[in-house]
Amino acid sequence: MLFAIRMDVNLPVDMDPTVKADTLLREKAYSQELQRSGEWLNIWRCVGEYSNLSIFDVEDNERLHNILWNLPLFPYMRIDVTPLATHPSAIAAPAPG
Amino acid sequence: MLFAIRMDVNLPVDMDPTVKADTLLREKAYSQELQRSGEWLNIWRCVGEYSNLSIFDVEDNERLHNILWNLPLFPYMRIDVTPLATHPSAIAAPAPG
Amino acid sequence: MLFAIRMDVNLPVDMDPTVKADTLLREKAYSQELQRSGEWLNIWRCVGEYSNLSIFDVEDNERLHNILWNLPLFPYMRIDVTPLATHPSAIAAPAPG
Amino acid sequence: MLFAIRMDVNLPVDMDPTVKADTLLREKAYSQELQRSGEWLNIWRCVGEYSNLSIFDVEDNERLHNILWNLPLFPYMRIDVTPLATHPSAIAAPAPG
Amino acid sequence: MLFAIRMDVNLPVDMDPTVKADTLLREKAYSQELQRSGEWLNIWRCVGEYSNLSIFDVEDNERLHNILWNLPLFPYMRIDVTPLATHPSAIAAPAPG
Amino acid sequence: MLFAIRMDVNLPVDMDPTVKADTLLREKAYSQELQRSGEWLNIWRCVGEYSNLSIFDVEDNERLHNILWNLPLFPYMRIDVTPLATHPSAIAAPAPG
Amino acid sequence: MLFAIRMDVNLPVDMDPTVKADTLLREKAYSQELQRSGEWLNIWRCVGEYSNLSIFDVEDNERLHNILWNLPLFPYMRIDVTPLATHPSAIAAPAPG
Amino acid sequence: MLFAIRMDVNLPVDMDPTVKADTLLREKAYSQELQRSGEWLNIWRCVGEYSNLSIFDVEDNERLHNILWNLPLFPYMRIDVTPLATHPSAIAAPAPG
Amino acid sequence: MLFAIRMDVNLPVDMDPTVKADTLLREKAYSQELQRSGEWLNIWRCVGEYSNLSIFDVEDNERLHNILWNLPLFPYMRIDVTPLATHPSAIAAPAPG
Amino acid sequence: MLFAIRMDVNLPVDMDPTVKADTLLREKAYSQELQRSGEWLNIWRCVGEYSNLSIFDVEDNERLHNILWNLPLFPYMRIDVTPLATHPSAIAAPAPG
């Protein structure tokens, strides 16, 4: 089941550099693990913004919330969720790729 | 070069049924041709809305505008454009696939 | 899988009375059939507005979109979709009732 | 009398961990007590957000305000209130379940 | 139980003058009957706008919706509902007057 | 001359408790004095919000601004002002009560 | 008593030319009469918009509403009202001129 | 050349009292100097808000920006700029007074 | 004096084709004449939208309003005006080119 | 490929003066280097705001994001990106100048 997720990151300008570096490292590892397992299909940077647009393919709403809630950057993010369905004009299966 | 495009369709409730059917047919053919040629990477329906979220991979801004401007449904759409770039956490190449 | 759906209805003031009455009848029958089958859990009127707040329990995003897209009033509605998950403070199962 | 309540929580990123843990514990106990007494009918997590959608069944406006004002998380919340009424298409009584 | 209601009226500029005059007459009679019966406590014009701010004192949400839904101008209005409660600084009883 | 005033209070979560208690006491005394003198006609709590809706009856704009500017909570408030006039459907005099 | 009023005009594109010309003539005469009598202190065009910003000096809210309600263009306008008071830094009397 | 400028002031609640008093004194002197020189035509307080509406008569955009950028309160303000032109219904010259 | 102008065009879907073609021809001629005379410095299409972003270099506000008001497409446009000034980091003169 | 970029700067009022001065110096040098190399075509100050409107001419989205992400003021900015294309009424080449 596909979802488009936009994440806007807002780090405090006075965030402790060590905490910041550690959080970003953990965020990257967390994201890449989910990309490898096939639930986080795509992640793109929105040009000029500390934001990303991502496509998730998950079992259900519970799983999606569990993934997002545990993002290391979650306390610093505004997240917007758009459930997706197959478009009648799509030539491919609903899952990208 | 990737762009996320959201299209919100607003057809007049009193639109002539023949014009409507013809426009939708042409829109579908136009979209599928661009999907086959590789410029319109994905198209998903936004659940509960007469809207889609699409990913385009185009040569440049001029080409993107040319594609969107010539959509048969263009006069009935509000279009929102988000330029995309590679995300540093992405494990794959920027193009989905 | 639960979703909160808000529907805002906007009928043209000059809508043909027969078409209007027929559309409303079909909307009511359609809604009640889904309430009986257990997918449309609740429907409440928002006080003072031609709007409702509904809770759906559906198999997946595809099914939800299929239900909403075929609402007889769909062409006259603005629909807002909020995917729901279990709240850690909830004492009951996620499904209401 | 039914109300739909959306609560958006915004905890300071530098909140004292003990205060935070204690506040969350008290919030959970407070919510569950009201769920058991039958005034807080449902509470769902909004996917990807530190937010919930709840349905309350209360005697009147005074009681609803008294409940919300005394939420341990009240100082950290934005609350949106929608009074509900019976929908003419509803097959069941206005109270869910 | 008190509610603040703001009503914004938007009549079509090409509305039939007889229909318009009749609708406004019925609206006035309907409003005055409810003022006399004590449910519509106050109605004020918002300066420079085709809008009013009103205070209602009703039994419950159902009654309030029933009153608003049957306003002769309802199809031409946007209505905003704010449930009210006693303010701790108020020196009088919650009902005005 | 009547005005509807909505005040939204936003106290810092780390406000000094003594300062806070003192400010709230002075706010209450200030409000009640103006209610007794007849310029602050009504004050209602907006359910679920740290906000009030008030009706003022003042000599002119200068007096209204003077009252609001000197509210002990003024530095913590967002204030929205709606000038009111007699509504042609009102059965009573413009002043409530 | 001073008020800043912004008026945004929205004439239907298919408005009858004679009705339009007549309405604009009456609007101009109405405005100039009030400028001469001293209640409509200033009227400026907002650059690039079919809008004006005006300053009124009127007896009270009732008078202001009466003036605005009777503008020949009222049914085609959105009007925004800002009550003004003396600014402590102003070197002149509150009334311009 | 006329401009309408709205300034919304937002001073930190914990601003140092001496810095605050000094800044406000300098702001007042700065404003009054420009009022005397004829570039700052009017300044009005917006009722109930820490805001003002001002009319400036300046040589060009450069001069206007230079004036606003050097306001002692500039770092604490949100400023909204509306360029003005002569209104065809105005009976007087474009400059007020 | 420079201004950034964004124009959003909204043509009625049922506009008469001859009127439309003629209006667009006149708009193009009007724009190109002002480009040649040096007042309309740049015009760019906003990708995916029936909108343009333009830079004007004009004598004053009056001239800018006169140009915009007389655009053949003015009745079908929403126009947003941003006055520009020299940026301290600019290496060139304020006029582009 | 052209883009219009609006940058709104929001520096903390209590920013360390040395850090602030250094950041602004680096921002200016960074901007001027890109202006000289031909990628940052124009930069204008938006009158009365700590904001600029800029035109960039870059190879692709990746390059634009790289430039913006490395702005010394990036952590203090909100950035809005509008991709531009040739306008059919433009008499010159799409690149300004």
Side-chain angles (χ1 to χ4, degrees), chain E residues 33-94:
Chain E
E33 186 181 315
L34 288 160
Q35 290 177 64
R36 281 193 208 94
S37 70
E39 290 182 304
W40 196 325
L41 292 185
N42 296 102
I43 178 168
W44 298 290
R45 177 65 80 205
C46 301
V47 171
E49 302 183 271
Y50 199 162
S51 304
N52 72 72
L53 175 70
S54 291
I55 308 293
F56 284 83
D57 185 2
V58 292
E59 186 63 26
D60 55 18
N61 287 350
E62 299 289 339
R63 176 61 185 151
L64 179 61
H65 182 68
N66 186 265
I67 288 174
L68 298 175
W69 185 264
N70 290 295
L71 287 163
L73 284 174
F74 184 82
Y76 309 100
M77 279 179 169
R78 209 181 66 77
I79 291 182
D80 186 61
V81 176
T82 305
L84 301 176
T86 310
H87 193 283
S89 297
I91 57 171

Side-chain angles (χ1 to χ4, degrees), chain F residues 62, chain G residues 1-3 41-42 55-57 84-87 90-97, chain H residues 41-45:
Chain F
E62 299 289 338
Chain G
M1 219 169 63
L2 297 175
F3 291 86
L41 292 185
N42 296 103
I55 308 293
F56 284 83
D57 185 2
L84 301 176
T86 309
H87 193 283
I91 57 171
Chain H
L41 293 185
N42 297 101
I43 178 169
W44 299 288
R45 177 65 79 206

Side-chain angles (χ1 to χ4, degrees), chain A residues 10-11 13, chain J residues 10 69 71-77:
Chain A
N10 184 21
L11 299 180
V13 286
Chain J
N10 184 21
W69 186 263
L71 287 163
L73 284 174
F74 184 83
Y76 308 101
M77 278 177 170

Side-chain angles (χ1 to χ4, degrees), chain D residues 44-77:
Chain D
W44 299 289
R45 178 65 79 207
C46 302
V47 170
E49 303 183 89
Y50 199 162
S51 303
N52 73 71
L53 176 70
S54 292
I55 308 292
F56 284 83
D57 184 2
V58 292
E59 184 64 24
D60 56 18
N61 287 351
E62 299 290 338
R63 176 60 185 153
L64 178 61
H65 182 68
N66 186 265
I67 289 174
L68 298 174
W69 185 264
N70 290 296
L71 288 162
L73 285 173
F74 184 83
Y76 309 101
M77 280 178 169

